[in-house]
Every structure is written in C-alpha cells, then in structure tokens.
Amino acid sequence: MLSVLNDLYRIVRPSGLKRLVAVLAVTFLQAVVQTVAVFSLMPFLSAVADVAAFRRSFVGRSFVGLVGEGSDNRLMLIAGSASLALLVFGNLLSLFAEHHRNRYAFTIAQDLRTSLTAQILARRYSYFLGVNSSVLLKHLMDDAGRVASEIALPALDLASRTLVVLLMAVSVLFVEPSVIVVGAVVVLLFNLFVMKPIRKRALANSNTIMLGFRRLHFELFQTLGGVKQVIASDRKDYFVNRVSQASEQLTRAMARVPLYAAMPRSGFEVLVFGGMIVWVLSAIMSGENLTALMPRIGFIAIVAYRMMPSLQIMFAQAAMINSAQQALAEVMALIAEQPAFSADPARPADVLVPGHADRLGWSRHIRFENVVFRYDGADEPAIRHLDLTIAKGQRVAFVGSTGSGKSTLIDLLIGLLTPTSGRILIDDVPLTYDNMHLWRQAMGYVPQELFLLDSSIAENVAFGCEADEVDRARVLRAAEIAQARDFVETGQAEGFDTVVGERGVRLSGGQRQRLALARALYFEPNVLILDEATSALDPVTERKVTEALRRDSADMTVITVAHRIGTVRDYDVIHYMEHGRILFSGDYDSLIATQERFRGLVSNQH
C-alpha cells in the first residue's frame, strides 16, 4: 500500500500541493467533527440512564458548568439538542468533504490525461511504429480514469474513514480501555490470517484485469478500425467471437473483485458484533451492575454502529485499490519512459497560423550529408549513405519500386525519423529538435495514409484551428488549387460546413486526397511535400491539380514521391531510388534517353 501511495503522490503532485493539502484538511476536520458528534452522545445517554449519577460524574460536572444549573429535563434537553446539532453538522460536513474529494480526484484524471497525451506526442515517430494504438488509448482512457476513480478517490476516502475510526477508537479508550486492547489484538490476527492472503489473490486478479482490458481494447480497435473489410468479407462472426472471448476473460476477473471486498467485510462484522455480545455477557456473568453499564454499552454500540459502515467501505476500497494497481503500474511505466525529445517548457506549443513569420528561414538549399537510417530491429538500412541537394524553388521527384526508401527519405526530411548517422541541413544549418518546429511551420505535407477529422470540411482544411479561427478565404483558395472547391460547393449539402464522418468515410478516396492537399496548402508553405498525394485521383483531375500547383505556387519548393511517372513528368529533377540509394537523377527527357530502368518503369505504366 505504501508503494501505491508513493506512486499516487508522484501523480497528484503536478496537480498542485495546495489543493491536496486543502482536501486533506477538510478530511481531517470531517473526522474530528464526526468523532465529537458521536462522543457527545455519551453525556446524553448517561443523563437519560441515571441523571443523578451523571451530575456526580466528572463529565456531568463539566457539562453543568458549561450550560449552567437547571432541572433534569433541561439538562437532558440541552445534551440531546447539542448531540443532534453536532450529528447534523457532521453529516453536512461529510457531504461537503466527499464532494471536495470527488472533484479533486477527477481533476487528477483530467490533468493526468493531458500530461500523458503531451508526453506521448513529444516522442519520436519511431516510437509509434513499435506500439499498438489500442494500448495507448487504454492508457489514456481507462488507466488514467481508473487511477482517479479506483485509486485516488478511494485512497482519499480511506484516509478520511481511517481517521474517523481511529478517533472513535480513542474515544472508546477513555470509556472502556479493555475493549480497545482486545480489539487491537483481534484486528492484528485478522489482518495476518485473513487479509494478507486475500490481498495476494486480489493483486493477482488485478494483473488479470489489466491483461483483459488490454486484450479487449486491442480486439475492439482491430474490429472497428477495419469495419469495412470485416463486413465486406463477411467475417463478422470471427471478430465478434474474438471480442466475446476477450470480454469473457475480463468479466470473470471483474466478478471476483466484489468477492475479495466482501470476504473481509463479512468476517470483520462478525468479529465486531460478536465481540460486543461476548463483552456484555462477560460483564453480566461477572456480576456488574447492568444499570451502570448501560451508558457504556449504548455508547460503544453507537460507536460500533457508526464505525461498521466505514470499516465495510474501507475493506471495499482497499480491495478496489488492489484491483486497480496494475492500471497505476501501467501509468507509472508510461511516465517513466522519457520522451526522446527534451521539450523546452518555456517554448509555447507549436500552433500553425496562416502567414506566420516564425518559420525556419532558408534561401538556398536542403542538403542530406551521408545520411544513413536503419529501422529498429532491421537487418539492413532503409537509407544508405545518401548525399542529396534540393535547391530552393525546385520541383523534385523520387521514383522507384516499392521498398526503395522513398517514403523513409520523406519521413527523415519532415523530422518524423532521425538519421542513424549523417545529418540534414537547411542552408547549412543542421536540422535538430530545437529548430524542427520552425521547419515544420514552413512545410506542407500530404502523406500516403490520409487522416480526416470527424468534423466539417472547413475545419479539416484548416487542420488544428478552432472553428471560429478558420480563415474562409484561405480555405477557398487552398480548395481551388487542390481542385476540391467544385465538389464541395456543388456536391455537399452544407458546402464547407459538411461533416465528413470518421476518417472522412462519407467522401470518396479522391475527394479525401484533394482535401488533404488543400490542408497542406492552407498554411501557405514554402515547401510542399507530397507522398503519393494524387494516387487516388483520376488522370484528368490529377492533371488539373498538377497544373494548378505549377501556376499558383511557382515559388514553392515541391518534393514528391510518385509511382505514376506522368505526375512528375515536368519536374526539374527526378531521382530514381533503389535499396535506399539514389542510382541516377535527371529530368524526364534525359532519363528516358539514357536510363533503361527508368524507361522500363515508364513502359510498365502504359
């Protein structure tokens, strides 16, 4: 439990120590008021049982000195009213404290999700090549939520109830010390022989729950991510069965959680009330005056009555914390994985703004110097000792067979991958993390795998801008160049306000590709990088897009990866790649005239 609390403290510390101290202070006040409220019943019960004896007792004399002399009825009325008032105030304070703890706990979840998302996005792109997205979603959605609702909140409530129980135990110590001494021994034995084995089983069950959640997320992510293929191939039963199997494993483990909470709770209930019965019977058998004993019996019975719900909830919360330990362990492991980049907290987050001046200035060339890149676990490099210069304003294309290294070269250029050796320079300035955000401000990029937001067309074009910050004039201009304006304005019911659906499911492949190109142009880049950006377009539309880019972006440096050679026929330079190297370069006509491999590549497309 101490290790859990230590990890929890590391998580809540960024949310603010003052807030934590405030929550703990309210919790402490709640415990004190509840204890005083229960303890205030003792004078009332004593006065009701034997008012004369009560007046002679130390408590009675102190009470009379506080409220003044009066009739017996007045004395009992004041004692009862004071006790009732304290009980009402104590319960109201408990409601306030519980609300305060709930709000604080779920603020932790919000802060944790935000910080984890920022940390994940600060990592190199290569990190995402080795991790399943369903695992990251599980960490951000389920694990962060469980840390708040099943660890932080129960831990705070456990602290509150533990304090209440301890203070009430102290109050009983003044009334009947033997009950506390015997009770402490019984609790110690109960913890050793009952709680310890249960905690061990609960921890193992927690691990099973963690694996179950991970598998269920994976299966659901696979099924819904490929729903079109699943339905088209009529393999629904296969995927439903896989989800069912994962859910069944998780269900069995989750069903054991209440059992582990109920077992100690039930046993302890028998111990508490059984112990009270034994104590009363022992007192009667020893010949004690039952009338004199009644106030103490009543007081201890009330304390037990108030303590039992807290004890029962404490056992349930301890079981919940045990069951959620793996979620905490997964979050801590994610936090411990330091991002590959050390972001400067003083630098604000990158926000692309049309016409933004804060870009990496360059006027001459982009240069690759002896660049080598090898993917983790790969036997051979994907890029081999590449030397390359791209002049500003040039239109440059990379062609070659699949797996020749074209897309890897593009990923290196935009900073998704970092060279294993060698370097990339912009006007002789090495491209590093410190200036990468400035370089990306200058760049427009259309990847092979398109991603559209489940939002309006305008918001997809102005990617990363709030709806009220979208510049409609720029959207229209970018859509015009990308040959997207006509289909949006004539074929979509709400024009640029039309919502495209998840990943643009309501649009055709060619329409999605044109919107992705418009997105790259919206921010008016001076470098446009196209990775198979027109592969889904028909030849007529592709030609119109190419002509519009040449006409309206004459000063822009355009770098293209293409399989269809006709797309780049008029480019300044075409580089032919094979096995991570550039074998030859030139314009279209010179390569047709001198390079048989290039001629073969062209002829295969006719």
Side-chain angles (χ1 to χ4, degrees):
M1 182 63 79
L2 288 177
S3 63
V4 171
L5 293 177
N6 182 56
D7 288 343
L8 185 61
Y9 175 72
R10 290 174 58 192
I11 287 174
V12 304
R13 187 172 54 192
S15 296
L17 289 180
K18 288 183 179 179
R19 289 160 64 187
L20 176 60
V21 169
V23 169
L24 293 177
V26 171
T27 297
F28 177 77
L29 181 61
Q30 172 198 3
V32 171
V33 171
Q34 280 200 348
T35 304
V36 171
V38 172
F39 194 73
S40 70
L41 289 169
M42 186 62 187
F44 175 67
L45 292 174
S46 298
V48 170
D50 188 343
V51 71
F54 172 68
R55 285 179 177 275
R56 291 193 299 269
S57 68
F58 172 75
V59 174
R61 291 196 305 272
S62 301
F63 187 76
V64 170
L66 182 65
V67 303
E69 283 289 352
S71 66
D72 291 346
N73 288 341
R74 177 179 177 275
L75 198 62
M76 287 186 283
L77 179 63
I78 293 174
S81 299
S83 182
L84 179 61
L86 283 169
L87 286 170
V88 170
F89 177 69
N91 281 283
L92 289 174
L93 184 60
S94 294
L95 289 174
F96 172 77
E98 186 171 347
H99 170 69
H100 206 52
R101 287 193 294 269
N102 277 315
R103 189 172 60 181
Y104 177 69
F106 289 104
T107 300
I108 291 171
Q110 175 191 340
D111 293 346
L112 184 57
R113 285 194 184 101
T114 302
S115 63
L116 287 178
T117 301
Q119 189 194 64
I120 288 170
L121 292 179
R123 300 181 185 203
R124 295 186 190 276
Y125 177 68
S126 55
Y127 167 81
F128 299 94
L129 300 178
V131 64
N132 193 289
S133 298
S134 66
V135 174
L136 295 179
L137 283 174
K138 173 184 173 293
H139 292 331
L140 293 172
M141 296 297 295
D142 284 354
D143 292 340
R146 292 185 71 201
V147 165
S149 62
E150 299 180 28
I151 294 182
L153 186 57
L156 290 169
D157 200 41
L158 196 60
S160 168
R161 295 182 186 279
T162 300
L163 193 55
V164 169
V165 168
L166 288 175
L167 290 175
M168 287 188 178
V170 170
S171 69
V172 174
L173 186 64
F174 287 104
V175 176
E176 196 66 37
S178 61
V179 171
I180 293 300
V181 173
V182 174
V185 173
V186 170
V187 168
L188 184 63
L189 295 174
F190 183 77
N191 183 68
L192 185 63
F193 293 106
V194 178
M195 289 298 299
K196 191 174 180 180
I198 290 176
R199 278 196 297 268
K200 186 176 180 180
R201 288 178 176 272
L203 188 58
N205 194 59
S206 173
N207 188 57
T208 304
I209 290 172
M210 179 269 292
L211 295 175
F213 268 118
R214 182 177 290 184
R215 183 185 171 193
L216 182 60
H217 273 78
F218 176 80
E219 297 298 349
L220 287 170
F221 196 77
Q222 294 274 86
T223 301
L224 298 178
V227 66
K228 185 176 182 179
Q229 187 69 31
V230 170
I231 295 172
S233 61
D234 197 26
R235 301 294 293 165
K236 297 187 293 293
D237 291 344
Y238 169 79
F239 286 94
V240 168
N241 186 53
R242 288 185 67 90
V243 170
S244 177
Q245 289 176 357
S247 181
E248 183 182 0
Q249 177 189 12
L250 178 61
T251 299
R252 285 198 301 266
M254 292 296 289
R256 289 191 286 267
V257 173
L259 177 64
Y260 292 138
M263 287 169 64
R265 184 179 64 202
S266 301
F268 204 75
E269 188 173 312
V270 171
L271 285 177
V272 170
F273 287 108
M276 280 191 62
I277 292 170
V278 171
W279 172 58
V280 172
L281 290 176
S282 299
I284 293 172
M285 297 294 290
S286 64
E288 281 198 43
N289 186 338
L290 197 58
T291 302
L293 191 62
M294 281 305 297
R296 285 181 290 161
I297 293 174
F299 174 70
I300 293 173
I302 291 171
V303 169
Y305 175 76
R306 292 301 298 261
M307 285 174 61
M308 277 311 303
S310 290
L311 289 169
Q312 289 171 344
I313 293 173
M314 285 166 63
F315 284 124
Q317 289 168 334
M320 184 183 293
I321 291 171
N322 274 329
S323 297
Q325 278 192 58
Q326 287 301 329
L328 178 62
E330 296 233 46
V331 168
M332 294 306 298
L334 194 62
I335 292 173
E337 295 174 9
Q338 294 298 320
F341 299 125
S342 298
D344 180 1
R347 179 171 65 81
D350 301 339
V351 178
L352 287 175
V353 179
H356 196 282
D358 190 16
R359 293 177 170 178
L360 186 62
W362 66 295
S363 58
R364 289 180 292 154
H365 52 244
I366 303 165
R367 191 150 50 92
F368 284 65
E369 278 190 356
N370 196 29
V371 170
V372 176
F373 179 78
R374 184 196 304 268
Y375 287 100
D376 291 341
D379 295 329
E380 298 293 332
I383 298 293
R384 303 166 184 262
H385 303 286
L386 183 70
D387 289 297
L388 170 69
T389 299
I390 299 172
K392 185 177 177 65
Q394 266 191 325
R395 298 162 61 79
V396 179
F398 295 90
V399 300
S401 60
T402 300
S404 59
K406 305 183 298 296
S407 292
T408 301
L409 185 149
I410 294 299
D411 288 346
L412 287 165
L413 180 59
I414 62 181
L416 294 179
L417 302 175
T418 304
T420 304
S421 62
R423 58 182 186 164
I424 302 170
L425 303 102
I426 312 298
D427 276 359
D428 300 325
V429 177
L431 196 58
T432 66
Y433 175 74
D434 291 333
N435 59 18
M436 184 64 70
H437 68 290
L438 298 176
W439 174 235
R440 288 176 180 151
Q441 292 272 16
M443 181 193 309
Y445 171 53
V446 183
Q448 287 185 38
E449 297 181 1
L450 305 177
F451 170 75
L452 294 183
L453 302 168
D454 189 359
S455 188
S456 71
I457 290 175
E459 288 174 274
N460 269 288
V461 173
F463 189 69
C465 293
E466 296 291 346
D468 59 353
E469 296 175 354
V470 174
D471 187 325
R472 287 287 176 147
R474 289 183 184 274
V475 169
L476 294 177
R477 182 174 182 277
E480 186 82 41
I481 298 172
Q483 303 301 300
R485 183 170 180 175
D486 183 60
F487 91 78
V488 172
E489 292 184 335
T490 62
Q492 304 299 316
E494 298 180 49
F496 281 92
D497 293 320
T498 302
V499 175
V500 301
E502 185 178 5
R503 295 181 176 273
V505 69
R506 296 171 191 157
L507 304 176
S508 70
Q511 289 172 334
R512 290 197 295 269
Q513 206 158 53
R514 279 178 275 174
L515 287 186
L517 179 58
R519 172 190 291 171
L521 295 169
Y522 175 82
F523 293 102
E524 300 181 342
N526 53 47
V527 181
L528 182 63
I529 300 175
L530 309 174
D531 192 353
E532 294 293 334
T534 59
S535 59
L537 302 182
D538 61 83
V540 174
T541 303
E542 184 180 38
R543 186 170 59 254
K544 288 181 178 178
V545 169
T546 303
E547 291 172 354
L549 281 173
R550 184 170 57 248
R551 181 182 65 250
D552 297 322
S553 308
D555 297 330
M556 188 185 300
T557 304
V558 180
I559 302 170
T560 299
V561 168
H563 279 133
R564 294 203 300 226
I565 304 301
T567 306
V568 296
R569 183 165 184 159
D570 63 343
Y571 273 43
D572 300 318
V573 182
I574 300 173
H575 299 286
Y576 184 93
M577 294 191 68
E578 191 171 287
H579 301 304
R581 294 190 176 94
I582 294 176
L583 293 189
F584 49 81
S585 305
D587 61 25
Y588 179 86
D589 291 335
S590 66
L591 294 182
I592 283 288
T594 62
Q595 298 296 335
E596 185 174 346
R597 285 181 176 173
F598 187 75
R599 288 197 297 271
L601 187 65
V602 174
S603 64
N604 287 336
Q605 296 181 5
H606 294 293

